[in-house]
Amino acid sequence: MKTFFADIILPLAIPKRYTYRVPQEMNEVIRVGHRVIVQFAASRLYTGIVGAVHEKPPQNYEAKYILELPDAHISVNDKQMELWKWMADYYMCSEGEVMNAALPSGLKLSSETVIALHPDFDGDISNLTDIEVKIVEALENNTTMKLSDIIVVTERKTIDKIIGDLVKKKVLVREEELKEKFKPKLEDFVFLAEKFDEEKLEQIFDSLKRAQKQAELVIALLNLSGRYQGEENPVKKSALLKAVHSSNAAFVALVKKNIFRIETFETGRLKDIGNAKSPELNLSEEQQTAIESIHKHYETKDVVLLHGVTGSGKTEIYMRLIEETLKAGKQALYLLPEIALTTQITSRLQKKFGNAVSVYHSKLNDNERVEVWNNIIKSGEPKVLLGARSALLLPFSNLGLVIVDEEHDSSFKQYDPSPRYNARDAAIILSRIHNAKTLLGSATPSIESYCNAEISKYGLVKLACRYGGVLMPEIFISDIKEAKKRKLMKSNFSPMLLENMELALTNKEQVILFQNRRGYSPVLECNTCAWTQHCINCDVTLTYHKYQNHLRCHYCGYTEKVPVTCPACGDTALQAKGFGTEKIEEEIGIFFPDAKIARMDLDTTRGKYAHQQLIENFEDGNIDILVGTQMLTKGLDFDNVGLVGILNADGMLNFPDFRAHERSYQLMAQVSGRAGRKQKRGKVIIQTHDPEKFIVQQVITNNYEAMYANEITERKSFAYPPFFRLVEITLKHKNVDVLNTACGFISFEGKNAFGKNLLGPEFPMVARIKGLYLKTFLLKIEREIAPSGIKEKLREIITQLKLKKEFKSVIVSVDVDPM
């Protein structure tokens, strides 16, 4: 019999796949894409994915056996693996890191360390300490114990050293206990014990004359199962008991009498939508022309950019293209940048496509994510999958269309941990792997995408007008510099903004206020000595959160209570400086005490359904004024918004980043687009100290082309994307001297290899995060040059650094195409 080996992708940041021996009993069943359980390093057990099966043993080590094959079906298909390999190569990470990001945690079996008595331990405790004896006595009553249980027994916070000493003395052994995370949902279904005919049923009812509840249960089962409609549908036990408000005792009695029988089946946690379809909207002439243009571009190109102003009806175009894709028997992927958006779009898609819609994002629990994954891998049916960036990594087998809505949004970029991928760019590669088509949509496209359309790499289709002839909102500038000089500002609100808010609320219209900073205030400062509280782990001031009455670091999560007096000088003159969404929410309630006010930011949307509840309340008119961060800018569609206020345009424009002007235009244009979406023309008021700033003027005139022309000229002059690719290399260490020395090594080797194209090292704006100092390099690669060779050289330099003993603890992260 042949001996087979399998190359396994492990969920670790190791450069290569690891080879294992296939047990003889698995020879006929193991396939590429199967999940397997393997041991790696001393004793850890991991879930791996079979990347290849062959007959060649590893040369430098003895192959361990694969321990278990948990599933009969594969969990990852060939096309997924092709995408994983591309992502690992392009984003300079390992396949294991991509696998870790792709697989739902419910599919990643984990092992937990348990402790047992050593088989050779003779029971002699004379040389053990009191704590060690306590552990041995506890284990004599239990075969194995978890470390957490031993901590309880010993009443110690840390026990690693004690356990280590007992292992060395051969009193204990450590073992790994495998835990299956995914638990299928099982439900009891009720059937008649036999196929009773009518005569037998009459006899049963006669026998139940004195057991009314039991008789009611039998009648309910007959009705719910559809017996008298010529059907025989299974009935859930829970639904049956609920139908007659019966206790479990009556049910159990019927089972004992052999009238009912129970069968347990696996049922899904995913909501059953049904197949009801909503009536189709009539496409405008411009929308119809756009669809025809998209199809024409697809004859010669795989990617089309749909540049449509806010409210122009891009979503309806997406839905028509999805419908065509499903009719062709293929799958469609609809990517959105934020979970907040999925609430509205999900409702629209489900009304049209019913159960053909699946949703996948991080707010689903582990079991729900596994069910979506398994449904796709097992069925392969034509479906539309809606989700945030992680949905890109699902096991599609027959993809026909990928839509990336709001393609410009930075939320499509994964920052930490690795892989630091951009879902928009990876979606284009995924489409190419499936021979599918990609549609990028935005009212404010990224400079890179628009440039690709301008040079005819992508097709370009424009929607210049709003659906139904609704006018774009009127945009007014409020000069807060002048208002402050004349002492007309009321806190953070200009007279123009407050007057228009009053008018909108009088007209029963809703108001959105945009401030791209959460919390109450970014700084709590002593007016006497100028003291401010900094994070103990990061080089940032703590943000004041009034509602929770604490100071919080938005980088590491560290919190402190708000001091009553200044810790430096003892004075009580502590004042919150600056403003965030929490402060706006509080102050706007003073000016408009009768208005119903809500806030939409990270602090108020942590719950699973928090986004959905906020959006539904706003749509239903239960909220008059909605205060929020950039969550509000992401394509939400509200009918009755009469006014949008942008409270601080300068904070975005003055950010030290080459994309600051592009992002400022995008944020302001997008949040402005929430106003006047249906029959009424909306208003937008932008508060700024510099009304003549050209970006502000371009937002007023909705002149994307002018913004693009300015930006593309500057990008070319200063060698930035789309003319150059960027790779950001960040080094981290708790000791700044070690960090500086390591940076010196990278600088010397890098300058020799890349010359002037390697910039740095520099401390970033926040030079210490979570106790680690940071320094960054920026590598620029000409767009015409294939980046693979340069990246390989960069890998070699980083490997040389890590081989040096003094730099082993230096953390190096690489971000390709940083945003």
Side-chain angles (χ1 to χ4, degrees), residues 248-267:
N248 195 51
F251 179 86
V252 171
L254 288 167
V255 174
K256 287 180 178 177
K257 292 175 181 178
N258 206 29
I259 296 171
F260 281 178
R261 65 180 170 86
I262 305 171
E263 288 190 34
T264 303
F265 297 111
E266 181 180 338
T267 59

Side-chain angles (χ1 to χ4, degrees), residues 322-608:
I322 289 169
E323 188 174 31
E324 293 171 7
T325 304
L326 297 182
K327 283 180 179 177
K330 292 181 177 289
Q331 298 163 322
L333 171 62
Y334 191 151
L335 287 178
L336 294 162
E338 287 274 2
I339 297 166
L341 267 175
T342 62
T343 300
Q344 280 194 331
I345 302 298
T346 300
S347 177
R348 288 182 68 176
L349 288 177
Q350 286 175 341
K351 284 177 183 176
K352 186 172 181 66
F353 302 113
N355 279 332
V357 178
S358 290
V359 182
Y360 190 83
H361 52 67
S362 59
K363 286 292 173 78
L364 297 180
N365 64 43
D366 288 344
N367 288 322
E368 288 170 332
R369 287 161 70 92
V370 172
E371 286 190 7
V372 174
W373 184 286
N374 286 339
N375 285 348
I376 294 174
I377 198 78
K378 290 177 183 177
S379 72
E381 294 174 0
K383 275 186 173 288
V384 52
L385 200 294
L386 176 70
R389 65 172 179 261
S390 57
L392 170 83
L393 301 168
L394 286 164
F396 300 103
S397 58
N398 190 24
L399 200 58
L401 176 69
V402 177
I403 294 167
V404 185
D405 197 13
E406 309 297 342
E407 66 83 27
H408 66 277
D409 202 291
S410 59
S411 296
F412 280 124
K413 174 71 175 179
Q414 163 80 9
Y415 292 98
D416 273 311
S418 189
R420 297 174 179 85
Y421 68 100
N422 188 314
R424 176 200 62 206
D425 300 339
I428 294 171
I429 301 301
L430 177 68
S431 289
R432 191 179 300 163
I433 290 169
H434 284 264
N435 293 318
K437 301 297 181 184
T438 306
L439 183 65
L440 309 178
S442 177
T444 54
S446 65
I447 298 295
E448 290 88 341
S449 292
Y450 201 80
C451 178
N452 282 330
E454 287 277 283
I455 62 175
S456 297
K457 184 177 179 180
Y458 299 166
L460 177 62
V461 177
K462 295 189 178 185
L463 290 170
C465 302
R466 284 186 156 187
Y467 181 80
V470 178
L471 294 173
M472 295 294 289
E474 290 182 280
I475 301 179
F476 300 92
I477 298 299
S478 178
D479 187 345
I480 54 177
K481 183 179 179 182
E482 183 65 23
K484 284 179 179 177
K485 191 185 295 184
R486 295 168 61 187
K487 298 186 178 179
L488 297 174
M489 291 291 289
K490 293 183 179 179
S491 185
N492 298 296
F493 310 100
S494 65
M496 180 189 290
L497 179 59
L498 290 174
E499 287 166 13
N500 279 276
M501 286 181 69
E502 181 74 50
L503 180 62
L505 294 173
T506 302
N507 293 336
K508 305 296 182 186
E509 294 173 342
Q510 292 168 299
V511 177
I512 286 176
L513 296 179
F514 170 65
Q515 166 62 3
N516 203 26
R517 183 185 289 273
R518 64 189 172 100
Y520 189 86
S521 172
V523 179
L524 189 69
E525 185 177 281
C526 175
N527 284 341
T528 304
C529 70
W531 166 90
T532 58
Q533 183 62 293
H534 284 71
C535 177
I536 61 171
N537 304 312
C538 313
D539 283 347
V540 291
T541 55
L542 298 178
T543 301
Y544 174 40
H545 288 254
K546 187 175 182 180
Y547 179 73
Q548 293 164 313
N549 195 34
H550 66 209
L551 301 170
R552 186 192 304 164
C553 175
H554 287 175
Y555 284 85
C556 71
Y558 170 77
T559 60
E560 277 189 15
K561 288 184 178 179
V562 177
V564 178
T565 60
C566 173
C569 71
D571 204 337
T572 58
L574 296 175
Q575 185 177 0
K577 299 290 180 75
F579 61 98
T581 50
E582 195 178 318
K583 187 174 184 180
I584 297 302
E585 180 188 25
E586 178 186 273
E587 291 186 342
I588 211 68
I590 298 170
F591 294 112
F592 302 100
D594 297 328
K596 292 168 285 187
I597 303 165
R599 175 163 49 96
M600 187 176 184
D601 57 23
L602 187 62
D603 297 320
T604 62
T605 56
R606 294 184 188 276
K608 182 174 181 179

Side-chain angles (χ1 to χ4, degrees), residues 777-806:
F777 293 85
L778 193 64
L779 176 60
K780 294 184 174 182
I781 306 172
E782 290 89 342
R783 181 62 66 170
E784 298 78 22
I785 297 176
S788 54
I790 293 174
K791 289 177 183 176
E792 189 54 44
K793 183 63 183 174
L794 179 58
R795 282 192 189 95
E796 290 175 12
I797 293 171
I798 293 170
T799 301
Q800 290 172 26
L801 175 84
K802 299 298 286 184
L803 286 173
K804 293 183 176 294
K805 186 178 179 180
E806 63 269 33

Side-chain angles (χ1 to χ4, degrees), residues 98-127:
V98 181
M99 170 198 161
N100 217 17
L103 283 185
S105 59
L107 288 179
K108 290 180 280 191
L109 302 181
S110 64
S111 60
E112 182 175 20
T113 301
V114 293
I115 304 300
L117 290 174
H118 196 287
D120 296 333
F121 177 56
D122 58 7
D124 181 6
I125 58 173
S126 58
N127 294 322

Side-chain angles (χ1 to χ4, degrees), residues 126-137:
S126 58
N127 294 322
L128 303 184
T129 65
D130 291 345
I131 290 291
E132 290 174 340
V133 170
K134 207 175 210 181
I135 294 171
V136 170
E137 288 175 346

Side-chain angles (χ1 to χ4, degrees), residues 765-779:
M765 281 181 61
V766 181
R768 186 171 65 103
I769 297 176
K770 297 180 181 178
L772 299 174
Y773 291 94
L774 284 71
K775 268 194 166 182
T776 61
F777 293 85
L778 193 64
L779 176 60

Side-chain angles (χ1 to χ4, degrees), residues 14 206 244 266 272 366 425 558 732:
I14 53 176
D206 286 340
V244 294
E266 181 180 338
D272 190 343
D366 288 344
D425 300 339
Y558 170 77
K732 305 176 188 179

